[in-house]
Amino acid sequence: MKACKKNGQYLMIQMPEEIDHHQTVQIRQAADESILEDEVRDVIFDFGQTRMMDSSGIEIIMGRYRMISAFGGQVYIMNADTRIKKILFSAGIQKIAEFIN
Amino acid sequence: MAAAFLSELNPKLEEIADVKTAVSEAVINAVIHGYGMEEWDGPTQARRKSAWIHMESGLSDNVFEVSIEDKGCGIPDIKTAMQPLYTSRPELERSGMGFSFMEEFMDEVKVESTFGEGTMVQMKKKIGIVEQMEEE
């Protein structure tokens, strides 16, 4: 899947322009395969293209965090605009993920 | 569909995104919780489960209204269901933020539900009102 790019130890996930339940089903599948098969440690979510997101965006981050934190992995979030950041913060994502830009 | 209606009010991009997020939450609630599907698999599965989601939207002055109705299982306790982080199906990796997001992005959210009969979510949002910038 082109949304996922592996780079050494981490998995980079390119989030789509609109994130809803439908989109995240595919992303989740591809990400989980990569995490388990390629044994990546950290996951980076790139929200650079994202303009709209519902709570499924929160779910996909929390779910990956649960998977990788057990093995010492970290979740990072990059390029989130003010709107997306507001949504992520309202769900408390800053407690489990580090924001990088 | 809602976005098309909305465009008459000359909304800002963020306002469209707000409405889309809220509608998306309400519809996916109907699919997952109302009809107990893991995800929306299209009309075939819907017919099998006789799932049906009715959406209506309208405008009055600069208020956008939308209602999303299903004939699913209904919500036994609306107050609990609307609490942030509460989900009746934790096994599905749900965040429990659905209603919280609807409330955050719309001005008004009303939920009516009869257990065993279905649920209707009505939401309103004022569009095109320039908010005063917060002074820092």
Side-chain angles (χ1 to χ4, degrees):
Chain A
M1 190 182 169
K2 68 170 192 279
C4 299
K5 210 167 55 186
K6 270 174 291 141
N7 196 335
Q9 288 274 292
Y10 61 85
L11 171 71
M12 170 92 94
I13 302 176
Q14 186 74 57
M15 299 301 265
E17 193 181 337
E18 302 202 334
I19 304 173
D20 59 17
H21 187 78
H22 226 70
Q23 300 272 2
T24 50
V25 171
Q26 289 166 16
I27 299 171
R28 176 177 298 133
Q29 212 171 20
D32 288 357
E33 263 174 42
S34 180
I35 290 169
L36 295 173
E37 282 168 25
D38 307 320
E39 297 172 358
V40 293
R41 218 185 62 144
D42 300 330
V43 177
I44 305 174
F45 291 93
D46 184 350
F47 283 90
Q49 293 171 9
T50 306
R51 297 294 166 262
M52 175 261 166
M53 178 172 91
D54 71 8
S55 64
S56 62
I58 308 295
E59 284 144 27
I60 197 156
I61 299 171
M62 291 199 316
R64 279 355 89 209
Y65 169 77
R66 275 190 214 113
M67 280 179 88
I68 61 167
S69 61
F71 303 101
Q74 260 264 32
V75 174
Y76 298 93
I77 289 164
M78 61 187 279
N79 298 329
D81 67 17
T82 335
R83 226 193 101 77
I84 300 297
K85 265 190 196 151
K86 198 182 122 198
I87 300 177
L88 293 169
F89 271 76
S90 74
I93 288 296
Q94 71 279 9
K95 291 178 202 150
I96 61 167
E98 197 177 310
F99 284 74
I100 43 173
N101 264 342
Chain B
M1 181 190 111
F5 247 102
L6 201 57
S7 60
E8 260 181 58
L9 292 178
N10 211 4
K12 288 185 287 191
L13 281 173
E14 300 103 75
E15 290 173 327
I16 299 180
D18 284 353
V19 170
K20 273 188 179 174
T21 300
V23 169
S24 169
E25 299 291 355
V27 171
I28 204 67
N29 268 354
V31 172
I32 292 186
H33 301 289
Y35 293 116
M37 298 180 198
E38 307 264 308
E39 65 174 287
W40 183 253
D41 262 353
T44 321
Q45 193 196 10
R47 232 174 282 131
R48 210 164 53 231
K49 292 224 181 189
S50 59
W52 169 98
I53 296 169
H54 184 79
M55 181 163 137
E56 226 175 274
S57 47
L59 305 172
S60 61
D61 296 327
N62 38 23
V63 177
F64 170 78
E65 280 185 57
V66 59
S67 71
I68 291 116
E69 189 186 359
D70 69 66
K71 297 279 176 212
C73 65
I75 305 171
D77 181 356
I78 296 175
K79 227 174 143 186
T80 305
M82 289 184 78
Q83 274 170 10
L85 300 178
Y86 171 81
T87 177
S88 55
R89 302 189 65 186
E91 79 282 7
L92 283 183
E93 200 180 306
R94 304 294 301 162
S95 66
M97 295 298 286
F99 281 120
S100 309
F101 278 14
M102 289 181 230
E103 284 177 325
E104 187 167 333
F105 292 120
M106 303 296 277
D107 295 330
E108 199 184 308
V109 179
K110 259 199 291 185
V111 185
E112 280 169 40
S113 189
T114 312
F115 190 49
E117 280 177 31
T119 300
M120 174 145 90
V121 177
Q122 287 173 299
M123 300 185 283
K124 284 184 190 174
K125 186 179 179 68
K126 255 188 204 158
I127 301 293
I129 304 290
V130 184
E131 279 173 50
Q132 276 193 309
M133 299 287 282
E134 277 174 48
E135 281 178 47
E136 288 187 68

